[in-house]
Amino acid sequence: MRILSVVGARPQFIKAAALSTALRARGHTEFLVHTGQHYDAAMSDVFFQELGIPEPDSNLNAGSGRHGEMTGAMLAGIEKLCIEQKPDVVLVYGDTNSTLAGALAAAKLNIPVAHVEAGLRSFNREMPEEINRVVTDHVSTWLFCPSPVSAENLAREGITRGVHIVGDLMCDTLLRAAKIARDKPSIVSKMNLPERGFALATIHRASNTDDEKTLRGLLHALTHAGMPVVFPMHPRCRARVEAFGLQDSLAHPNLRVIDPVGYLEMVQFLAAAKCVLTDSGGLQKEAYWMHVPCVTLRDESEWTETVSSGWNHIAGTDPDKILSIIRNVSTPAAHPDFYGAGDAAERISRALAEG
Ligand code: UD1
Ligand code: UDP
């Protein structure tokens, strides 16, 4: 099968790391498009290098800008490539603007869309990602769900054909990377962080970074967590900290602000952290797989299984509530395999081959 895959943002590189290899191993022909949504070396190149992702066949350089502007540039670029490459299927990952652009470009050309991570819902239409997910699912022919819950979400919207529950590609990548990360010099020791005595934090959701009061409250919570907090700062968050003049809120001996790190360093942090504080979707799952309790800095989670199992706590953005949850995090005894066993890439490539 000729597959045109679209990636553009950090979590998509991590998913493609598992799937691109599996697709090619099964004899599919892949044309890999990088939309350029993420473009800094620490947000893009590092993942291609560390995880051995094939070099993109095309880069649209469509990063930054407003949603319409960015999505429009990607849409035009992907449409042109689809016309040239004539793929049998366009494969998109997750819920970013790159996902939406790939799905729309293909659907308008009557090319079947394969959506990896289909059926996730926050039920919050103010999130740009929720719009991207819903639209993408409704124009997709192949809907690859990470778990039964996501397939049930699709069924509630009337989508039952083409739905495959395959597990989560991020689990595939994590299992592979954890082995490599173990043999590399540890960033945890380099930074003198106490094993199981520090928190790993990330913040990048628009609703958290773009509102000054919310961002100030979150930074307050990070600095008062009662333990060292390592905080690889997403460029969006850094830009807002600077724009709001919040640099002083970062000046606290417990807060270790660093640039975004590569995936292997992230896995090293995860392997040694006491807890994770995040608004990231991917990191909520990775914390779960690494048996690290997670405090989610949002009012809802798409990864509801991690919450109902007691490993993930929805804290919202109120600093007092966040701090009280951090003080009480514990490690539940049960840890079911909600999102497959690390064989999602194999299952997706097989399903595509079987047609
Ligand atoms: C995007 C996705 C979000 C995903 C996240 C993963 C959308 C709507 N959002 O959010 O779903 O969780 O990626 O990280 O698609 N920037 C840089 N360098 C970069 C990338 C971004 O400086 O390499 C800055 C730019 O100022 C840019 C801003 O970050 O305008 C936001 O980037 P954008 O890709 O629009 O959204 P994210 O917040 O990264
Ligand atoms: N990640 C990383 N380096 C960082 C921060 C995050 O490698 O400095 C990884 C993280 O482990 C996860 C993915 O990036 O695999 C999540 O991306 P992000 O939080 O940007 O997006 P989301 O998952 O929320 O869409």
Side-chain angles (χ1 to χ4, degrees):
M1 198 176 238
R2 285 176 62 77
I3 299 169
L4 185 143
S5 307
V6 179
V7 295
R10 178 164 69 183
Q12 294 164 336
F13 309 140
I14 290 159
K15 291 163 204 167
L19 189 52
S20 277
T21 314
L23 291 176
R24 290 163 197 233
R26 195 164 263 277
H28 294 294
T29 305
E30 186 184 38
F31 186 91
L32 185 61
V33 181
H34 189 323
T35 62
Q37 178 166 354
H38 287 173
Y39 46 87
D40 291 343
M43 295 293 289
S44 175
D45 300 3
V46 65
F47 301 104
F48 284 82
Q49 285 153 12
E50 280 188 343
L51 301 174
I53 307 166
E55 186 78 14
D57 296 290
S58 173
N59 190 318
L60 302 173
N61 295 310
S64 290
R66 295 184 304 274
H67 285 271
E69 199 178 10
M70 180 200 288
T71 313
M74 294 172 184
L75 188 51
I78 297 167
E79 179 182 65
K80 189 163 170 281
L81 290 169
C82 283
I83 293 168
E84 282 166 17
Q85 296 297 322
K86 301 184 179 45
D88 301 311
V89 60
V90 169
L91 190 145
V92 296
Y93 297 89
D95 55 19
T96 72
N97 290 346
S98 300
T99 317
L100 178 66
L104 281 183
K108 291 279 185 169
L109 292 167
N110 291 323
I111 300 169
V113 176
H115 185 202
V116 174
E117 217 174 76
L120 272 293
R121 295 290 181 269
S122 64
F123 303 102
N124 173 2
R125 289 276 172 114
E126 284 180 18
M127 275 182 91
E129 292 84 358
E130 185 77 351
I131 310 287
N132 295 344
R133 293 179 192 123
V134 171
V135 175
T136 300
D137 283 338
H138 282 260
V139 298
S140 290
T141 300
W142 303 84
L143 298 107
F144 293 115
C145 293
S147 72
V149 170
S150 38
E152 283 157 25
N153 288 338
L154 291 175
R156 264 197 300 277
E157 294 174 20
I159 304 174
T160 50
R161 283 186 59 192
V163 175
H164 301 256
I165 300 170
V166 293
D168 198 303
L169 280 177
M170 278 188 147
C171 183
D172 298 29
T173 304
L174 180 65
L175 291 178
R176 181 163 68 91
K179 289 196 195 113
I180 306 170
R182 263 199 298 272
D183 295 333
K184 294 204 111 97
S186 166
I187 188 166
V188 175
S189 345
K190 192 170 148 211
M191 290 185 69
N192 271 324
L193 290 163
E195 285 271 335
R196 299 279 163 215
F198 72 94
L200 169 64
T202 73
I203 298 173
H204 76 276
R205 292 286 159 197
S207 55
N208 283 342
T209 57
D210 295 7
D211 179 77
E212 181 177 347
K213 185 164 172 273
T214 306
L215 184 55
R216 190 188 291 279
L218 290 173
L219 298 180
H220 176 87
L222 300 195
T223 50
H224 290 77
M227 64 184 117
V229 174
V230 63
F231 183 25
M233 201 187 271
H234 189 288
R236 175 185 204 113
C237 188
R238 189 176 288 281
R240 301 322 290 165
V241 165
E242 283 165 14
F244 296 140
L246 296 177
Q247 291 90 336
D248 287 352
S249 314
L250 300 175
H252 189 284
N254 261 358
L255 190 58
R256 312 280 297 274
V257 180
I258 56 175
D259 285 335
V261 294
Y263 192 66
L264 299 179
E265 292 186 329
M266 201 62 182
V267 173
Q268 292 180 334
F269 283 137
L270 275 164
K274 178 169 189 223
C275 66
V276 164
L277 316 173
T278 193
D279 59 9
S280 160
L283 205 48
Q284 290 174 56
K285 287 177 288 175
E286 287 162 350
Y288 182 75
W289 289 317
M290 298 292 280
H291 295 243
V292 180
C294 182
V295 179
T296 292
L297 310 174
R298 285 176 49 198
D299 291 325
E300 72 279 311
S301 169
E302 295 79 19
W303 304 102
T304 52
E305 300 90 341
T306 63
V307 179
S308 55
S309 61
W311 285 87
N312 187 3
H313 305 270
I314 302 297
T317 54
D318 174 56
D320 292 334
K321 183 165 178 200
I322 296 168
L323 291 173
S324 130
I325 292 177
I326 293 173
R327 276 192 294 275
N328 293 306
V329 283
S330 59
T331 309
H335 189 275
D337 269 346
F338 293 124
Y339 306 116
D343 58 353
E346 185 46 39
R347 294 171 75 173
I348 294 170
S349 15
R350 196 185 325 130
L352 287 172
E354 285 166 2

